[in-house]
Amino acid sequence: MLPDIDSLGLFVRAAELHSLSKAAEASHIGVAAASRRIALLEHRFRTTLLERSPRGVELTAAGVSLLGHAKTLLVHLNHMNADMNDHAAGRKGVLRIIANTSAMTEYLPDDLATFARENPDVRLVVEERWSAEAVQLLQAGEADIGIVVEGSRTEGLETFAYRTDRLAVIALPGHALVQLEQMRFEDVLDHDLIALESGASMMRLLAEQAVVLEKSLS
Amino acid sequence: MLPDIDSLGLFVRAAELHSLSKAAEASHIGVAAASRRIALLEHRFRTTLLERSPRGVELTAAGVSLLGHAKTLLVHLNHMNADMNDHAAGRKGVLRIIANTSAMTEYLPDDLATFARENPDVRLVVEERWSAEAVQLLQAGEADIGIVVEGSRTEGLETFAYRTDRLAVIALPGHALVQLEQMRFEDVLDHDLIALESGASMMRLLAEQAVVLEKSLS
DNA sequence: GAGCGTTACGCTAATCGTAACCATG
DNA sequence: CATGGTTACGATTAGCGTAACGCTC
C-alpha cells in the first residue's frame, strides 16, 4: 500500500533531471530497473506521473503533486537519519527549544545550565521566537519544547506551567502612577505605555486583558 | 542507506503496543519477520531502539527520537497517498490557498470563481489567516498559495504581485482631515485611528511606514 | 509452563542487469 | 542512426513462515 523510499528518490531525480537514464545513473541502478520502478509507482498510484518522449521525461499534473510530497518527505528522512546518527555517536540527541524573550532572559539560562550539566550527551539548540511562531514550529515538528506566554493557541500540543513572570512598571519620580498606594493593571491602562513590539504575544495578552477591563492599550 | 517505510510502521506499532508480537500481528506478518526487521533497523542506525524483556519491549532514548520522526513521516505519507488518490480519481488535486482578510473579501472570490469554472477538476481549499501565519503554513508545506500583504518576510518562497489594495479613511463630516484638499498618509497619523487588530500584517505595514515618517500609530 | 523475543532453515517472490526492442527527430 | 524509454529473460537475493530455542515470571 505504501510506496518505497528508493522509488520516490528515483522519481525525484527523474523529475529534476528530465531524464530516466540520468536518474538511473544518479541512483546507481540500471535504466531498465529505473523504468520498471517508475512504472510500478504509477501502477500503485493508478496514475501516470511522467510524460515520456524520445528526448526525456516531463512531469504530469499528478507528477508535480507527487514531486512536492516526495521532496519534503526525503528532507524529513534526512533529518531523521541525522538524528539517529547522533544517537549512534553517543549523543543522546538534540533538544530543540524555542523560547520567548522573557524566558530567554530570565529563567531559562539557569535551567538549561543545570540540565546540560546533568545530561552532557544531549545537545541543546535554543532559539528566540515570538510565542505564535513557536507554536507553529512545534506543530510542524521543527522543535521539541516551546516556552510561550499563557493564552497562546496550542492546539495539538501538551502544555505545562513553567514559571510565573512578573511585570513591572517604570515611571519617572512624581508620575501619577507612583502616587498610588496599590497599582492595578487597570490603572496602568489609563496612561501611554512603552512596551514590546505589537507582534509579541505578551502584548497580545495585555491587550486581551485590557479588553476584558473595557479599556485599550495605547 | 535509507530505511524502508514498512519497518518504520512496524516499529511505531511495536513502540505503541509495547510488544513485538502484537505489532507483528497488526502488521500482518510473522513474529520472526518482525524481530528481524527491527534488528535490521537497529543495525542500520547502529543503535538499539527497543529494550527487550520477557514481557514486552520498551523504547530506548534513540527509540523515542525515532518514534517521533517515524510518526510524522507516516502521517505525511498518508497525505501523499490521499493526494495521489485524488489524482487517480480524476481530480487534478487540491490547491490550498491562504488569504488575508482584504484579499478574501475583495478580489479573491471573483478570481476563484473564474479558476474553478476553468478547472473543475481542481478542488480549492481556502482559509483566512493573518499574513505571518500564512507564511508559516506555506513554509511548512501546509498550503500551496498564500496571499499576504506587501513586506511580509517570505524567506524561501516565491512571490508575485497580485493586486493593489486601496485604503480609505472614514471620518465624521467636519473632521480636520476632511478639510484637507489632498490627504497624505502622514496627515492621517496625526489622529487617533480605529483600524484592524494589532496582530494583522496590514497594521504592521502601516506601523512601519509610520516609523519611516517618524511618527507613530496611536 | 505460559508468554515473549530470537535464531535456523528452506522456500517464494521481488528486483536486478544484460540484451534485444521500439519510437522519434 | 543516435538517443531515450520499454520489454524479455535468466540469475541473484532479500524477505517470508514454520519450527526449534532461550529466557523470565
Side-chain angles (χ1 to χ4, degrees), chain A residues 94-135:
Chain A
V94 187
L95 202 59
R96 293 156 303 179
I97 304 172
I98 310 282
N100 56 18
T101 310
S102 46
M104 197 85 160
T105 51
E106 299 264 337
Y107 307 109
L108 207 51
D110 279 351
D111 289 343
L112 285 185
T114 305
F115 181 86
R117 202 178 321 115
E118 291 172 0
N119 303 276
D121 292 335
V122 178
R123 192 169 43 189
L124 297 173
V125 176
V126 186
E127 268 183 82
E128 177 175 340
R129 296 293 178 92
W130 290 350
S131 295
E133 289 181 84
V135 171

Side-chain angles (χ1 to χ4, degrees), chain B residues 198-215:
Chain B
S198 69
S201 288
M202 177 70 77
M203 293 313 293
R204 197 174 51 71
L205 187 62
L206 293 185
E208 281 173 8
Q209 288 303 313
V211 169
V212 170
L213 297 171
E214 296 182 342
K215 299 207 172 180

Side-chain angles (χ1 to χ4, degrees), chain A residues 22-59:
Chain A
K22 306 265 181 61
E25 194 182 355
S27 304
H28 312 293
I29 63 173
V31 203
S35 174
R36 261 169 308 181
R37 291 197 92 111
I38 300 290
L40 280 180
L41 224 48
E42 294 180 318
H43 185 255
R44 166 170 297 286
F45 288 139
R46 302 190 308 280
T47 324
T48 73
L49 299 169
L50 297 174
E51 211 68 67
R52 278 82 159 176
S53 90
R55 39 177 224 289
V57 293
E58 284 303 322
L59 285 171

Side-chain angles (χ1 to χ4, degrees), chain A residues 132-198:
Chain A
E133 289 181 84
V135 171
Q136 299 269 2
L137 288 172
L138 286 163
Q139 286 169 337
E142 300 277 333
D144 302 304
I145 298 181
I147 298 180
V148 301
V149 74
E150 198 180 347
S152 301
R153 307 181 158 274
T154 56
E155 284 92 0
L157 303 173
E158 276 187 278
T159 57
F160 306 92
Y162 173 50
R163 293 294 175 88
T164 301
D165 224 351
R166 295 174 68 89
L167 301 181
V169 170
I170 305 177
L172 288 174
H175 188 282
L177 283 171
V178 182
Q179 317 297 331
L180 295 172
E181 197 149 308
Q182 193 183 10
M183 193 189 307
R184 289 166 309 167
F185 181 51
E186 193 174 346
D187 302 322
V188 178
L189 293 176
D190 294 330
H191 302 265
D192 284 351
L193 299 176
I194 296 175
L196 297 177
E197 305 157 88
S198 68

